[in-house]
């Protein structure tokens, strides 16, 4: 951490770049759903495609991106490749965001209706 001119501690630029890249990957609702599903348990690409409602090639591409970023890992079980969450901290962030948004939606049905109208 570095201390800025205002006296606050700021993370190094490299760390912010790494965090932005991780958030960028999770900005896709399909990849977010895949991470959410894998947080519930390991799965192969066929099971994930069925669960998230995506085409097999698309889910496979998303998994490749998540794996390259180190958010998801895989291992071979015979001819099958099983995927799992490689970074549990990512699951914590995803659960926190989804839980917060769900709580807000439950607390304010009027706000939910307004968002649906484009207002």
């Amino acid at each position: 951490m570095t201390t800025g001119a205002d006296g606050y501690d700021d993370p190094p630029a490299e760390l912010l770049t790494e965090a932005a890249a991780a958030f960028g990957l999770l900005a896709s609702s399909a990849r977010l759903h895949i991470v959410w599903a894998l947080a519930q348990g390991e799965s192969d690409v066929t099971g994930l495609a069925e669960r998230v409602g995506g085409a097999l090639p698309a889910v496979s591409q998303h998994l490749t991106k998540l794996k390259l970023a180190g958010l998801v890992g895989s291992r071979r079980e015979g001819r099958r490749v099983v995927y799992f969450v490689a970074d549990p901290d990512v699951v914590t962030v995803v659960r926190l965001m989804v839980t917060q948004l769900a709580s807000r939606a439950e607390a304010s049905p009027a706000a939910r209706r307004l968002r649906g109208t484009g207002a």
Side-chain angles (χ1 to χ4, degrees):
M1 297 279 197
T2 57
T3 303
D6 55 7
Y8 293 104
D9 288 337
D10 293 327
E14 299 83 23
L15 186 60
L16 291 172
T17 300
E18 187 178 335
F23 281 121
L25 277 170
L26 295 174
S28 158
S29 61
R31 286 191 290 270
L32 192 60
H33 197 172
I34 289 168
V35 170
W36 182 268
L38 289 175
Q40 312 304 311
E42 300 175 343
S43 181
D44 64 8
V45 67
T46 303
L48 284 169
E50 289 172 2
R51 176 151 181 199
V52 304
L56 204 62
V59 171
S60 182
Q61 287 179 346
H62 288 306
L63 285 165
T64 298
K65 289 179 181 181
L66 291 166
K67 190 174 174 185
L68 285 171
L71 304 179
V72 166
S74 68
R75 72 172 183 285
R76 216 168 242 301
E77 287 186 357
R79 296 184 343 169
R80 200 172 142 228
V81 178
V82 176
Y83 293 89
F84 55 89
V85 172
D87 186 346
D89 292 334
V90 170
V91 173
T92 301
V93 171
V94 168
R95 282 186 175 149
L96 177 64
M97 177 57 80
V98 172
T99 302
Q100 283 296 113
L101 291 173
S103 294
R104 286 182 193 168
E106 288 174 9
S108 177
R112 191 174 60 243
R113 281 194 307 274
L114 284 175
R115 280 194 299 268
T117 64

